[in-house]
Amino acid sequence: MKKCSKCKKKISDDTIICNFCGEQQDISRSGRALKKNKKKTLIISLCFVGLLVILAGGFLYMQHQNEVAKKDVAALFDSDNLLKEDVTSDKLAMVNRTVSKVINPQVKKSLQEDLITATSMLNVNEGLKAILNDENIINEKVTTKQLNDIKDSLDKVKSVSKKFYADNIKSYSSAQQQYNEYIKLVKEIEALYKNTNINEDTSRAIYEKLMSRNEKIKNDSLKKNLATKLTGIEKELLKSEEEARKNIINLSEVEIVNRVKAYYFSQTDITDDSVKVNYSVAYSGSPSNGDIMYLNPLTNTSSVEGSYTLTNRGDFKYTDATGNVLPEYNGNIFDDVSQEMIDAIPEFVPPSEETIDDTPEFTQSSFMGDWTSENLIISITESEVVMGKQQSGSAVFGHIVEQSFDGNTNTLSISAYEEANRLNGASKDREFNVQFVIKQNEGETYIEYQGKKFQQ
């Protein structure tokens, strides 16, 4: 729009005569304005085209960046979606810079997740190499932080690559188990052995268990480190055991048994002295191991209440009749028993036992008479012994030269002399020896001769 040169009213740029006053307008001026407007339109058009070119170039560049980043990330993994062996932390850093230039937020997020997986796999691989040798044995410098970092990285990969997780979790678990066993053993040893001294709970059994567990430590350096401390424990144990051994040696067997009884009664609810006298201690060979016995006065029979063991230091352990170790009896017969307690224990006096023996008392005369078995017969008198067959009548007849009876085995031994006798086939005189054993079973009395049973 332009203004009339005369009336100043607004008229269009291409108006030659004013519509309001009829004044002729300056044509050259309008042409210049028109020309100016055309130029302006051209510039705007060129700018728009340029913008389109720039946007298209930007889009193509963005697509190129996406493809480069995708290609670089994909190059980190093999066909099984496992991290390639040649991938290093420097290579991951370089790929990370490429991914950071990706403009598309969705593509960028997906590639960053793949980078996290690759980084976690690399952390697992390098972490396991740092703490395990080729034989899957941990080194002496492994730390809790290293193990935790490996586990965290494995957890990040678990849902993405089950194969990678399965391939490495066993190695991690082995390392963790070895480390836990070592640390646990260290703590237990330190609890027993401080400043070259052992505490009062340390025993030979505990020491041997610690030694056995240390032998199972796979790393030689760690094993040697603990072996040094265990050697120190053993030295102190030997000193302690020697002192305890002197205590045992200085006591007689009767004194040890009395201390055992006093300690046993002090740990039970037995307060009646009339009951206590029915208890006794029975051992075989050494009072360090034995049984607590109870005699039932009604049936006159003994039963085992439980068994005990005693260490050289005087430590007492009690096991009941069913085999259960009762920890409430744990103690020491030297530390926990006084002379007053010993003196207060009533003396055990075994009751007299009247044995009723139903076994008959056989004598030499018990053999006299006839004894038969099937068709055989044995006749024994004070002067003669005859062995023969009932049907044929053939016999061995002998005059008794000497006979003796053994009351312990109920055996009669006879030396006899037989004269020559054509009737029974004896061609010449001879001497012979025989033995008979007399027995009784369920009221039946019989003798045995050469393994056969003969009855009267």
Side-chain angles (χ1 to χ4, degrees), residues 440-452:
Q440 188 178 66
N441 184 21
E442 297 180 355
E444 177 187 28
T445 302
Y446 58 92
I447 66 171
E448 285 185 351
Y449 170 66
Q450 293 184 346
K452 293 182 179 181

Side-chain angles (χ1 to χ4, degrees), residues 393-412:
S394 61
V396 176
F397 175 84
H399 296 284
I400 296 176
V401 178
E402 184 180 358
Q403 59 179 318
S404 63
F405 173 71
D406 185 348
N408 293 323
T409 60
N410 294 327
T411 301
L412 178 67

Side-chain angles (χ1 to χ4, degrees), residues 216-228:
K216 296 178 182 178
I217 298 296
K218 296 180 180 180
N219 182 289
D220 290 336
S221 297
L222 297 179
K223 184 190 297 184
K224 185 177 180 180
N225 178 40
L226 295 181
T228 301

